[in-house]
Amino acid sequence: MCIRDRFLALTMGCLNSPNTPPSIDDAFPAPSTIETVPYSTIEFSISASDPEDDVTYRWYVDDNLEGAGATFSYQFDSEGAHIVRGVADDGTESVARIWEVGVTIDHDALRETVASIRSLDFSKDIPFKKITREELTQNVNEEFERRAEEICLTQRILHAFNVWDGSDLLSTLKSFYAGEAWGYYDSNEDAYYYVADADTPAVVKMVTMAHELTHALQDLHYGIPTLYAGASGDDEILAIECLIEGDATYVEGRYIETLGIEERAALYRYYASQELPDYDPFISSIVLYPYSNGARFVKTLVTDGGIGYLAEVYEELPESTEQILHPEAYLAGEGAVPLEATYDTTLEKMDEDTLGEGMLRLFLNQHVPMAQARNAAEGWGGDAYAYYGSEEEYILVYVTAWDTRQDALEFFDTYASAIEAWGSDYHELDRSENTLRATNDGRFVEMEISASTVTLVIRPDNVMYGQPPAGN
Protein backbone atom coordinates (compact mmCIF):
# COMPACT_ATOMS: atom_id res chain seq x y z
CA MET A 1 0.00 0.00 0.00
CA CYS A 2 1.42 3.37 -0.99
CA ILE A 3 1.65 6.33 1.35
CA ARG A 4 -1.33 7.98 -0.35
CA ASP A 5 -3.55 4.90 0.17
CA ARG A 6 -2.53 4.60 3.81
CA PHE A 7 -3.38 8.32 4.33
CA LEU A 8 -6.82 7.93 2.75
CA ALA A 9 -7.55 4.85 4.83
CA LEU A 10 -6.65 6.67 8.02
CA THR A 11 -8.75 9.68 7.00
CA MET A 12 -11.81 7.62 6.14
CA GLY A 13 -11.45 5.73 9.37
CA CYS A 14 -11.61 8.98 11.32
CA LEU A 15 -14.60 10.22 9.34
CA ASN A 16 -16.52 6.99 9.85
CA SER A 17 -15.75 6.52 13.53
CA PRO A 18 -19.05 6.07 15.49
CA ASN A 19 -20.40 8.99 17.57
CA THR A 20 -20.92 8.33 21.26
CA PRO A 21 -24.40 9.57 22.26
CA PRO A 22 -24.92 11.53 25.47
CA SER A 23 -25.54 9.59 28.63
CA ILE A 24 -28.04 10.82 31.22
CA ASP A 25 -26.30 10.73 34.59
CA ASP A 26 -29.05 12.16 36.75
CA ALA A 27 -32.70 13.15 36.45
CA PHE A 28 -35.19 14.78 38.79
CA PRO A 29 -37.80 13.87 39.92
CA ALA A 30 -36.58 10.34 40.32
CA PRO A 31 -39.96 8.60 39.85
CA SER A 32 -41.07 8.37 36.24
CA THR A 33 -44.73 8.58 37.24
CA ILE A 34 -46.00 11.72 39.00
CA GLU A 35 -49.43 12.65 40.32
CA THR A 36 -50.24 16.32 40.86
CA VAL A 37 -53.04 18.91 40.94
CA PRO A 38 -53.66 21.67 38.41
CA TYR A 39 -51.47 24.79 38.66
CA SER A 40 -48.94 23.18 40.97
CA THR A 41 -45.41 23.90 39.67
CA ILE A 42 -43.21 20.83 39.10
CA GLU A 43 -39.45 21.19 38.76
CA PHE A 44 -37.59 18.91 36.33
CA SER A 45 -33.90 18.57 35.61
CA ILE A 46 -31.52 16.28 33.76
CA SER A 47 -27.76 16.06 33.68
CA ALA A 48 -25.99 14.31 30.81
CA SER A 49 -22.38 13.72 29.81
CA ASP A 50 -20.71 13.21 26.44
CA PRO A 51 -16.99 12.46 26.02
CA GLU A 52 -16.83 14.15 22.62
CA ASP A 53 -19.35 16.99 22.33
CA ASP A 54 -21.19 19.66 24.29
CA VAL A 55 -24.70 18.69 25.36
CA THR A 56 -27.80 20.87 24.98
CA TYR A 57 -31.22 20.23 26.52
CA ARG A 58 -34.79 20.56 25.30
CA TRP A 59 -38.08 19.99 27.09
CA TYR A 60 -41.33 18.79 25.56
CA VAL A 61 -44.78 18.56 27.12
CA ASP A 62 -47.20 16.43 25.15
CA ASP A 63 -44.85 16.72 22.14
CA ASN A 64 -44.85 20.53 22.27
CA LEU A 65 -41.47 22.23 22.75
CA GLU A 66 -41.78 24.19 26.00
CA GLY A 67 -38.26 24.98 27.19
CA ALA A 68 -34.48 24.59 27.01
CA GLY A 69 -31.67 24.14 29.51
CA ALA A 70 -30.80 21.57 32.11
CA THR A 71 -33.68 22.63 34.39
CA PHE A 72 -37.34 23.11 33.56
CA SER A 73 -40.45 24.02 35.56
CA TYR A 74 -44.03 23.64 34.39
CA GLN A 75 -47.61 24.19 35.57
CA PHE A 76 -50.26 21.87 34.17
CA ASP A 77 -53.53 23.70 33.61
CA SER A 78 -55.62 20.79 32.34
CA GLU A 79 -56.65 17.49 33.82
CA GLY A 80 -55.57 14.16 32.42
CA ALA A 81 -52.38 12.29 31.52
CA HIS A 82 -49.42 14.31 30.21
CA ILE A 83 -45.98 13.30 28.95
CA VAL A 84 -42.90 15.36 29.83
CA ARG A 85 -39.77 14.56 27.82
CA GLY A 86 -36.35 15.95 28.70
CA VAL A 87 -33.95 15.55 25.77
CA ALA A 88 -30.13 15.67 25.92
CA ASP A 89 -28.59 16.31 22.49
CA ASP A 90 -24.95 16.38 21.35
CA GLY A 91 -25.75 17.68 17.89
CA THR A 92 -25.71 14.25 16.32
CA GLU A 93 -27.66 12.01 18.62
CA SER A 94 -29.98 12.50 21.55
CA VAL A 95 -31.36 10.62 24.51
CA ALA A 96 -34.45 11.35 26.56
CA ARG A 97 -35.88 10.89 30.01
CA ILE A 98 -39.67 10.60 30.09
CA TRP A 99 -42.12 11.30 32.90
CA GLU A 100 -45.81 10.45 32.92
CA VAL A 101 -47.73 13.15 34.81
CA GLY A 102 -51.31 12.62 35.95
CA VAL A 103 -53.18 15.83 36.76
CA THR A 104 -56.36 15.59 38.82
CA ILE A 105 -58.45 18.27 40.51
CA ASP A 106 -58.37 17.90 44.27
CA HIS A 107 -62.06 17.36 44.90
CA ASP A 108 -61.67 17.09 48.67
CA ALA A 109 -59.88 20.43 48.92
CA LEU A 110 -62.50 22.04 46.68
CA ARG A 111 -65.31 20.69 48.86
CA GLU A 112 -63.61 22.04 51.98
CA THR A 113 -63.20 25.48 50.43
CA VAL A 114 -66.84 25.67 49.32
CA ALA A 115 -68.06 24.47 52.72
CA SER A 116 -65.94 27.11 54.43
CA ILE A 117 -67.18 29.93 52.19
CA ARG A 118 -70.80 28.88 52.62
CA SER A 119 -70.46 28.03 56.34
CA LEU A 120 -72.25 24.72 55.78
CA ASP A 121 -70.97 21.16 56.13
CA PHE A 122 -71.26 18.29 53.71
CA SER A 123 -73.20 15.73 55.72
CA LYS A 124 -72.46 13.07 53.09
CA ASP A 125 -69.97 12.50 50.34
CA ILE A 126 -70.86 13.94 46.93
CA PRO A 127 -69.22 11.81 44.24
CA PHE A 128 -67.72 13.42 41.15
CA LYS A 129 -68.57 11.62 37.93
CA LYS A 130 -66.98 12.36 34.58
CA ILE A 131 -69.06 12.39 31.43
CA THR A 132 -68.32 13.33 27.83
CA ARG A 133 -69.71 16.40 26.11
CA GLU A 134 -71.83 14.04 24.01
CA GLU A 135 -73.30 12.42 27.13
CA LEU A 136 -74.11 15.82 28.64
CA THR A 137 -75.79 16.88 25.41
CA GLN A 138 -77.83 13.68 25.39
CA ASN A 139 -78.91 14.24 29.02
CA VAL A 140 -79.92 17.83 28.27
CA ASN A 141 -81.86 16.81 25.18
CA GLU A 142 -83.71 14.06 27.05
CA GLU A 143 -84.69 16.45 29.83
CA PHE A 144 -86.08 19.00 27.39
CA GLU A 145 -87.86 16.34 25.36
CA ARG A 146 -89.73 15.35 28.52
CA ARG A 147 -90.95 18.95 28.70
CA ALA A 148 -91.59 19.37 24.98
CA GLU A 149 -95.33 19.98 25.32
CA GLU A 150 -94.85 22.59 28.04
CA ILE A 151 -92.13 24.34 26.00
CA CYS A 152 -94.34 24.36 22.91
CA LEU A 153 -97.07 26.16 24.87
CA THR A 154 -94.52 28.62 26.25
CA GLN A 155 -93.41 29.32 22.69
CA ARG A 156 -96.98 30.18 21.71
CA ILE A 157 -97.42 32.51 24.69
CA LEU A 158 -94.12 34.30 24.02
CA HIS A 159 -95.16 34.68 20.39
CA ALA A 160 -98.51 36.13 21.43
CA PHE A 161 -96.70 38.67 23.65
CA ASN A 162 -94.58 39.42 20.55
CA VAL A 163 -91.28 38.77 22.30
CA TRP A 164 -90.47 35.61 20.33
CA ASP A 165 -90.50 35.19 16.57
CA GLY A 166 -92.21 31.80 16.66
CA SER A 167 -89.14 29.73 15.79
CA ASP A 168 -88.45 26.42 17.51
CA LEU A 169 -87.93 27.26 21.18
CA LEU A 170 -87.18 23.64 22.10
CA SER A 171 -84.18 23.48 19.75
CA THR A 172 -82.96 26.87 20.96
CA LEU A 173 -83.00 25.77 24.60
CA LYS A 174 -81.27 22.48 23.81
CA SER A 175 -78.49 24.28 21.98
CA PHE A 176 -78.01 26.87 24.72
CA TYR A 177 -77.78 24.47 27.66
CA ALA A 178 -75.74 21.79 25.90
CA GLY A 179 -73.23 24.37 24.69
CA GLU A 180 -72.80 26.33 27.92
CA ALA A 181 -72.85 23.71 30.68
CA TRP A 182 -69.66 22.16 32.03
CA GLY A 183 -71.39 20.14 34.69
CA TYR A 184 -74.44 19.82 36.88
CA TYR A 185 -75.50 18.58 40.28
CA ASP A 186 -78.13 15.83 40.17
CA SER A 187 -80.30 16.03 43.30
CA ASN A 188 -81.87 12.66 42.48
CA GLU A 189 -78.51 10.91 42.64
CA ASP A 190 -76.70 13.29 45.02
CA ALA A 191 -73.82 13.38 42.54
CA TYR A 192 -71.96 15.95 40.49
CA TYR A 193 -71.42 15.25 36.80
CA TYR A 194 -68.81 17.16 34.85
CA VAL A 195 -67.44 17.10 31.33
CA ALA A 196 -64.09 15.30 31.03
CA ASP A 197 -62.59 17.63 28.44
CA ALA A 198 -58.79 17.56 28.42
CA ASP A 199 -58.55 20.73 26.31
CA THR A 200 -60.38 22.95 28.80
CA PRO A 201 -58.33 24.59 31.56
CA ALA A 202 -58.92 22.88 34.88
CA VAL A 203 -59.77 26.17 36.56
CA VAL A 204 -62.90 26.49 34.39
CA LYS A 205 -64.08 23.14 35.72
CA MET A 206 -63.05 24.06 39.28
CA VAL A 207 -65.15 27.22 39.23
CA THR A 208 -68.13 25.28 37.86
CA MET A 209 -67.62 22.66 40.56
CA ALA A 210 -67.68 25.35 43.26
CA HIS A 211 -71.02 26.57 41.91
CA GLU A 212 -72.55 23.10 41.67
CA LEU A 213 -71.20 21.97 45.05
CA THR A 214 -73.10 24.90 46.54
CA HIS A 215 -76.24 23.35 45.04
CA ALA A 216 -75.28 20.10 46.76
CA LEU A 217 -75.05 21.95 50.09
CA GLN A 218 -78.41 23.59 49.45
CA ASP A 219 -79.94 20.23 48.73
CA LEU A 220 -78.42 18.59 51.80
CA HIS A 221 -79.51 21.34 54.17
CA TYR A 222 -82.72 22.69 52.65
CA GLY A 223 -83.90 20.14 50.06
CA ILE A 224 -84.00 21.84 46.66
CA PRO A 225 -87.18 20.10 45.40
CA THR A 226 -89.08 21.06 48.56
CA LEU A 227 -88.15 24.72 48.13
CA TYR A 228 -90.35 24.89 45.04
CA ALA A 229 -93.23 22.89 46.51
CA GLY A 230 -95.23 25.83 47.83
CA ALA A 231 -94.68 28.22 44.90
CA SER A 232 -97.92 29.59 43.48
CA GLY A 233 -96.75 30.68 40.03
CA ASP A 234 -93.90 31.20 37.61
CA ASP A 235 -92.82 34.49 39.16
CA GLU A 236 -92.48 32.95 42.60
CA ILE A 237 -90.66 29.95 41.10
CA LEU A 238 -88.24 32.33 39.39
CA ALA A 239 -87.71 34.23 42.64
CA ILE A 240 -86.78 30.99 44.42
CA GLU A 241 -84.50 30.07 41.54
CA CYS A 242 -82.87 33.48 41.89
CA LEU A 243 -82.10 32.68 45.53
CA ILE A 244 -80.70 29.23 44.69
CA GLU A 245 -78.61 30.32 41.71
CA GLY A 246 -77.69 33.65 43.29
CA ASP A 247 -76.38 31.81 46.36
CA ALA A 248 -74.28 29.49 44.16
CA THR A 249 -73.05 32.38 41.98
CA TYR A 250 -72.05 34.35 45.09
CA VAL A 251 -70.05 31.37 46.40
CA GLU A 252 -68.52 30.91 42.94
CA GLY A 253 -67.27 34.49 43.04
CA ARG A 254 -65.85 34.06 46.51
CA TYR A 255 -64.16 30.85 45.39
CA ILE A 256 -62.46 32.67 42.51
CA GLU A 257 -61.04 35.09 45.09
CA THR A 258 -59.28 32.16 46.80
CA LEU A 259 -57.47 31.11 43.62
CA GLY A 260 -53.86 31.91 42.92
CA ILE A 261 -52.73 34.49 40.40
CA GLU A 262 -51.89 31.84 37.80
CA GLU A 263 -55.29 30.17 38.15
CA ARG A 264 -57.20 33.42 37.83
CA ALA A 265 -55.07 34.46 34.87
CA ALA A 266 -55.81 31.14 33.17
CA LEU A 267 -59.52 31.61 33.85
CA TYR A 268 -59.59 35.11 32.39
CA ARG A 269 -57.47 34.09 29.39
CA TYR A 270 -59.87 31.26 28.65
CA TYR A 271 -62.98 33.42 28.67
CA ALA A 272 -61.24 36.22 26.77
CA SER A 273 -60.32 33.73 24.04
CA GLN A 274 -63.83 32.37 23.60
CA GLU A 275 -65.98 33.63 20.77
CA LEU A 276 -69.39 34.75 21.96
CA PRO A 277 -71.97 32.11 20.97
CA ASP A 278 -74.65 33.24 18.59
CA TYR A 279 -77.52 32.67 20.99
CA ASP A 280 -80.79 34.56 20.86
CA PRO A 281 -80.29 37.53 23.23
CA PHE A 282 -83.80 37.29 24.62
CA ILE A 283 -83.42 33.63 25.56
CA SER A 284 -79.97 34.37 26.98
CA SER A 285 -81.40 37.12 29.17
CA ILE A 286 -84.11 34.80 30.50
CA VAL A 287 -81.78 31.85 31.15
CA LEU A 288 -79.11 34.00 32.83
CA TYR A 289 -81.60 36.09 34.81
CA PRO A 290 -81.49 34.11 38.10
CA TYR A 291 -77.68 34.08 38.10
CA SER A 292 -77.05 37.80 37.69
CA ASN A 293 -80.06 39.19 39.56
CA GLY A 294 -79.97 36.43 42.17
CA ALA A 295 -76.31 37.13 42.91
CA ARG A 296 -77.06 40.82 43.53
CA PHE A 297 -79.93 39.89 45.84
CA VAL A 298 -77.81 37.44 47.84
CA LYS A 299 -74.83 39.80 48.02
CA THR A 300 -77.05 42.55 49.42
CA LEU A 301 -78.44 40.28 52.13
CA VAL A 302 -75.04 38.78 53.00
CA THR A 303 -73.42 42.22 53.15
CA ASP A 304 -75.98 43.34 55.71
CA GLY A 305 -76.56 40.12 57.66
CA GLY A 306 -73.60 37.84 56.99
CA ILE A 307 -73.57 34.47 55.22
CA GLY A 308 -75.45 32.88 58.11
CA TYR A 309 -78.48 35.07 57.40
CA LEU A 310 -79.21 32.99 54.29
CA ALA A 311 -80.50 30.21 56.56
CA GLU A 312 -83.36 32.54 57.49
CA VAL A 313 -83.95 33.41 53.83
CA TYR A 314 -84.37 29.71 53.00
CA GLU A 315 -87.00 29.57 55.74
CA GLU A 316 -88.78 32.70 54.45
CA LEU A 317 -88.39 32.39 50.69
CA PRO A 318 -88.75 35.35 48.33
CA GLU A 319 -92.19 35.42 46.74
CA SER A 320 -91.62 37.51 43.61
CA THR A 321 -88.94 38.87 41.33
CA GLU A 322 -89.94 42.30 42.67
CA GLN A 323 -88.40 41.19 45.98
CA ILE A 324 -85.29 39.96 44.13
CA LEU A 325 -84.85 43.25 42.29
CA HIS A 326 -85.65 45.28 45.39
CA PRO A 327 -84.29 43.47 48.48
CA GLU A 328 -85.89 46.11 50.67
CA ALA A 329 -89.27 44.79 49.47
CA TYR A 330 -88.24 41.30 50.60
CA LEU A 331 -87.09 42.57 54.00
CA ALA A 332 -90.35 44.49 54.39
CA GLY A 333 -92.41 41.43 53.44
CA GLU A 334 -94.02 43.29 50.54
CA GLY A 335 -96.07 40.71 48.67
CA ALA A 336 -97.85 40.76 45.32
CA VAL A 337 -101.52 41.65 44.87
CA PRO A 338 -103.43 38.47 43.90
CA LEU A 339 -105.04 38.89 40.48
CA GLU A 340 -106.95 36.76 38.00
CA ALA A 341 -106.98 37.17 34.23
CA THR A 342 -110.20 36.07 32.54
CA TYR A 343 -111.95 36.59 29.20
CA ASP A 344 -115.41 35.64 27.96
CA THR A 345 -114.63 33.35 25.03
CA THR A 346 -115.45 29.91 23.72
CA LEU A 347 -111.74 29.19 23.29
CA GLU A 348 -110.20 26.75 25.74
CA LYS A 349 -107.97 28.22 28.43
CA MET A 350 -104.57 26.65 27.82
CA ASP A 351 -102.51 28.36 30.52
CA GLU A 352 -102.69 30.93 33.30
CA ASP A 353 -99.81 32.16 35.41
CA THR A 354 -97.82 35.16 36.60
CA LEU A 355 -95.16 37.13 34.75
CA GLY A 356 -93.60 39.31 37.46
CA GLU A 357 -91.56 42.48 37.43
CA GLY A 358 -88.44 40.68 36.32
CA MET A 359 -89.86 39.11 33.18
CA LEU A 360 -91.94 42.21 32.44
CA ARG A 361 -88.70 44.20 32.24
CA LEU A 362 -87.27 41.74 29.74
CA PHE A 363 -90.48 41.65 27.69
CA LEU A 364 -90.56 45.45 27.46
CA ASN A 365 -86.85 45.57 26.65
CA GLN A 366 -87.53 43.64 23.47
CA HIS A 367 -89.05 46.81 22.06
CA VAL A 368 -87.93 49.75 24.24
CA PRO A 369 -84.55 50.61 25.84
CA MET A 370 -83.75 48.87 29.13
CA ALA A 371 -83.75 52.11 31.13
CA GLN A 372 -87.29 52.81 29.94
CA ALA A 373 -88.35 49.21 30.55
CA ARG A 374 -86.88 49.29 34.07
CA ASN A 375 -88.65 52.52 34.96
CA ALA A 376 -91.96 51.28 33.56
CA ALA A 377 -91.79 48.01 35.50
CA GLU A 378 -90.98 49.64 38.84
CA GLY A 379 -94.05 50.09 40.95
CA TRP A 380 -95.27 46.64 39.89
CA GLY A 381 -97.67 45.28 42.48
CA GLY A 382 -98.85 42.01 40.94
CA ASP A 383 -99.96 40.45 37.66
CA ALA A 384 -101.62 37.49 35.98
CA TYR A 385 -102.04 36.30 32.42
CA ALA A 386 -104.31 33.79 30.72
CA TYR A 387 -103.85 32.25 27.28
CA TYR A 388 -106.84 30.88 25.37
CA GLY A 389 -106.92 28.94 22.12
CA SER A 390 -104.29 27.68 19.71
CA GLU A 391 -101.28 29.11 17.93
CA GLU A 392 -103.43 30.50 15.11
CA GLU A 393 -106.54 31.46 17.09
CA TYR A 394 -105.78 32.82 20.53
CA ILE A 395 -106.62 35.44 23.09
CA LEU A 396 -103.96 36.58 25.57
CA VAL A 397 -105.12 38.54 28.62
CA TYR A 398 -102.60 40.25 30.89
CA VAL A 399 -103.67 42.11 34.04
CA THR A 400 -101.25 44.17 36.14
CA ALA A 401 -101.66 45.97 39.48
CA TRP A 402 -99.49 48.97 40.35
CA ASP A 403 -98.51 50.71 43.56
CA THR A 404 -99.96 54.02 42.34
CA ARG A 405 -102.01 55.28 39.42
CA GLN A 406 -98.95 57.18 38.24
CA ASP A 407 -97.06 53.86 38.05
CA ALA A 408 -99.97 52.43 36.03
CA LEU A 409 -99.93 55.38 33.63
CA GLU A 410 -96.17 55.06 33.12
CA PHE A 411 -96.54 51.36 32.30
CA PHE A 412 -99.48 52.12 29.99
CA ASP A 413 -97.49 54.71 28.04
CA THR A 414 -94.40 52.50 27.80
CA TYR A 415 -96.36 49.48 26.64
CA ALA A 416 -98.06 51.67 24.06
CA SER A 417 -94.58 52.63 22.78
CA ALA A 418 -93.62 48.95 22.71
CA ILE A 419 -96.71 48.10 20.63
CA GLU A 420 -95.82 50.83 18.17
CA ALA A 421 -92.30 49.39 17.90
CA TRP A 422 -93.57 45.87 17.13
CA GLY A 423 -93.50 46.48 13.39
CA SER A 424 -94.00 48.92 10.55
CA ASP A 425 -97.77 48.50 10.12
CA TYR A 426 -98.91 50.23 13.31
CA HIS A 427 -102.48 51.55 13.22
CA GLU A 428 -103.90 53.39 16.20
CA LEU A 429 -107.66 52.86 16.21
CA ASP A 430 -108.50 54.61 19.45
CA ARG A 431 -106.39 56.36 22.11
CA SER A 432 -107.31 58.21 25.28
CA GLU A 433 -105.71 58.68 28.68
CA ASN A 434 -107.13 55.35 29.84
CA THR A 435 -107.59 53.26 26.69
CA LEU A 436 -105.75 52.15 23.58
CA ARG A 437 -106.92 50.10 20.60
CA ALA A 438 -104.33 49.43 17.93
CA THR A 439 -103.04 46.89 15.43
CA ASN A 440 -99.47 46.03 14.54
CA ASP A 441 -97.50 43.03 13.33
CA GLY A 442 -100.63 40.89 12.86
CA ARG A 443 -102.04 41.56 16.32
CA PHE A 444 -105.01 43.52 17.61
CA VAL A 445 -104.40 45.08 21.03
CA GLU A 446 -106.74 46.56 23.59
CA MET A 447 -105.37 48.20 26.75
CA GLU A 448 -107.27 49.92 29.53
CA ILE A 449 -106.47 51.55 32.87
CA SER A 450 -108.87 51.31 35.78
CA ALA A 451 -107.59 53.09 38.90
CA SER A 452 -104.13 51.49 39.32
CA THR A 453 -104.84 48.34 37.29
CA VAL A 454 -103.98 47.90 33.62
CA THR A 455 -105.64 45.21 31.48
CA LEU A 456 -104.14 44.16 28.17
CA VAL A 457 -105.80 41.92 25.56
CA ILE A 458 -103.90 40.66 22.52
CA ARG A 459 -105.37 38.56 19.71
CA PRO A 460 -104.75 38.04 15.99
CA ASP A 461 -106.06 41.02 14.04
CA ASN A 462 -107.65 39.14 11.15
CA VAL A 463 -108.18 35.48 12.03
CA MET A 464 -110.97 35.24 14.55
CA TYR A 465 -112.54 38.63 14.44
CA GLY A 466 -111.58 40.07 11.10
CA GLN A 467 -109.42 43.12 10.50
CA PRO A 468 -110.77 45.97 12.69
CA PRO A 469 -111.82 48.88 10.49
CA ALA A 470 -109.20 51.63 10.45
CA GLY A 471 -110.11 54.71 12.40
CA ASN A 472 -112.85 53.06 14.49
Side-chain angles (χ1 to χ4, degrees):
M1 179 182 292
C2 67
I3 293 174
R4 178 176 176 275
D5 291 338
R6 283 198 296 271
F7 176 77
L8 287 173
L10 288 170
T11 303
M12 293 302 293
C14 290
L15 290 174
N16 293 328
S17 63
N19 174 71
T20 303
S23 173
I24 294 179
D25 303 320
D26 190 26
F28 180 85
S32 60
T33 301
I34 303 169
E35 294 296 329
T36 188
V37 296
Y39 308 101
S40 177
T41 300
I42 301 180
E43 303 288 344
F44 299 89
S45 66
I46 53 174
S47 175
S49 57
D50 189 299
E52 301 156 353
D53 303 292
D54 292 333
V55 178
T56 59
Y57 302 93
R58 301 187 306 275
W59 295 89
Y60 297 84
V61 179
D62 298 331
D63 292 329
N64 297 311
L65 180 62
E66 296 288 353
T71 61
F72 174 66
S73 61
Y74 195 79
Q75 280 188 341
F76 295 89
D77 67 355
S78 60
E79 278 196 294
H82 302 272
I83 299 296
V84 175
R85 185 159 49 96
V87 177
D89 193 320
D90 67 1
T92 302
E93 295 184 76
S94 63
V95 292
R97 171 65 189 273
I98 295 175
W99 290 266
E100 295 181 3
V101 182
V103 182
T104 307
I105 294 171
D106 189 340
H107 298 153
D108 292 336
L110 208 156
R111 266 190 293 261
E112 290 177 9
T113 302
V114 170
S116 175
I117 293 171
R118 192 54 185 81
S119 294
L120 293 174
D121 295 326
F122 284 96
S123 57
K124 62 184 294 186
D125 182 55
I126 303 298
F128 288 70
K129 299 183 178 181
K130 293 182 180 181
I131 57 175
T132 65
R133 172 62 63 183
E134 291 72 24
E135 288 172 326
L136 185 141
T137 299
Q138 181 180 346
N139 293 345
V140 168
N141 289 345
E142 289 175 355
E143 175 61 27
F144 279 117
E145 284 295 338
R146 283 193 287 269
R147 300 170 51 200
E149 187 175 336
E150 169 195 348
I151 292 171
C152 181
L153 180 57
T154 298
Q155 176 180 311
R156 287 158 52 186
I157 293 169
L158 294 177
H159 184 61
F161 269 113
N162 208 5
V163 293
W164 185 247
D165 61 7
S167 57
D168 188 359
L169 181 60
L170 179 61
S171 296
T172 301
L173 291 172
K174 285 180 180 179
S175 175
F176 187 97
Y177 279 93
E180 289 298 299
W182 284 106
Y184 60 91
Y185 169 72
D186 189 328
S187 60
N188 293 320
E189 298 186 21
D190 294 334
Y192 172 67
Y193 290 86
Y194 73 103
V195 175
D197 180 358
D199 296 329
T200 303
V203 68
V204 176
K205 300 176 186 177
M206 291 156 61
V207 169
T208 303
M209 288 176 183
H211 184 105
E212 298 300 327
L213 283 173
T214 307
H215 289 325
L217 284 173
Q218 294 164 341
D219 197 33
L220 291 172
H221 288 265
Y222 312 120
I224 289 178
T226 62
L227 295 175
Y228 292 102
S232 60
D234 282 351
D235 186 43
E236 187 170 357
I237 289 173
L238 180 56
I240 295 169
E241 188 176 357
C242 283
L243 170 61
I244 292 170
E245 293 298 350
D247 183 1
T249 303
Y250 172 81
V251 172
E252 176 186 325
R254 291 288 309 279
Y255 174 74
I256 292 173
E257 294 173 4
T258 71
L259 298 175
I261 294 174
E262 296 84 359
E263 294 160 301
R264 278 182 279 175
L267 182 67
Y268 300 145
R269 280 196 304 270
Y270 173 80
Y271 284 115
S273 69
Q274 300 301 296
E275 293 185 9
L276 291 175
D278 188 24
Y279 296 132
D280 181 90
F282 176 63
I283 295 302
S284 296
S285 66
I286 290 178
V287 172
L288 299 177
Y289 186 92
Y291 298 87
S292 56
N293 290 281
R296 283 191 287 269
F297 173 74
V298 168
K299 184 177 181 180
T300 299
L301 298 184
V302 170
T303 299
D304 293 340
I307 194 72
Y309 178 62
L310 291 183
E312 297 182 32
V313 181
Y314 279 97
E315 291 294 327
E316 295 291 337
L317 295 168
E319 298 176 353
S320 66
T321 51
E322 178 193 34
Q323 293 183 346
I324 298 296
L325 294 168
H326 311 285
E328 66 277 9
Y330 168 77
L331 295 172
E334 183 179 327
V337 175
L339 294 172
E340 184 179 7
T342 60
Y343 198 86
D344 185 13
T345 176
T346 58
L347 295 175
E348 180 183 0
K349 181 185 287 186
M350 303 302 297
D351 191 32
E352 57 182 342
D353 216 311
T354 54
L355 203 59
E357 181 178 347
M359 286 300 100
L360 181 57
R361 277 189 187 184
L362 298 184
F363 280 29
L364 289 171
N365 184 224
Q366 286 296 96
H367 303 290
V368 302
M370 177 51 85
Q372 186 179 0
R374 184 183 300 112
N375 290 336
E378 286 185 5
W380 177 95
D383 68 16
Y385 72 81
Y387 180 86
Y388 300 83
S390 63
E391 186 171 6
E392 295 78 20
E393 297 184 328
Y394 65 82
I395 295 176
L396 175 66
V397 185
Y398 180 50
V399 183
T400 56
W402 299 88
D403 293 343
T404 66
R405 178 171 173 79
Q406 183 57 42
D407 292 327
L409 288 168
E410 187 171 3
F411 168 71
F412 180 92
D413 290 339
T414 301
Y415 208 98
S417 298
I419 294 168
E420 190 170 353
W422 281 357
S424 60
D425 57 345
Y426 177 75
H427 296 286
E428 192 171 280
L429 308 177
D430 179 58
R431 177 72 181 265
S432 68
E433 182 183 14
N434 297 317
T435 60
L436 170 68
R437 295 171 67 244
T439 62
N440 199 358
D441 201 23
R443 295 163 178 81
F444 173 56
V445 185
E446 296 176 287
M447 188 161 54
E448 180 180 0
I449 299 178
S450 176
S452 58
T453 299
V454 180
T455 300
L456 174 72
V457 179
I458 304 174
R459 64 195 188 207
D461 67 359
N462 58 359
V463 175
M464 290 178 58
Y465 303 99
Q467 179 69 41
N472 291 345

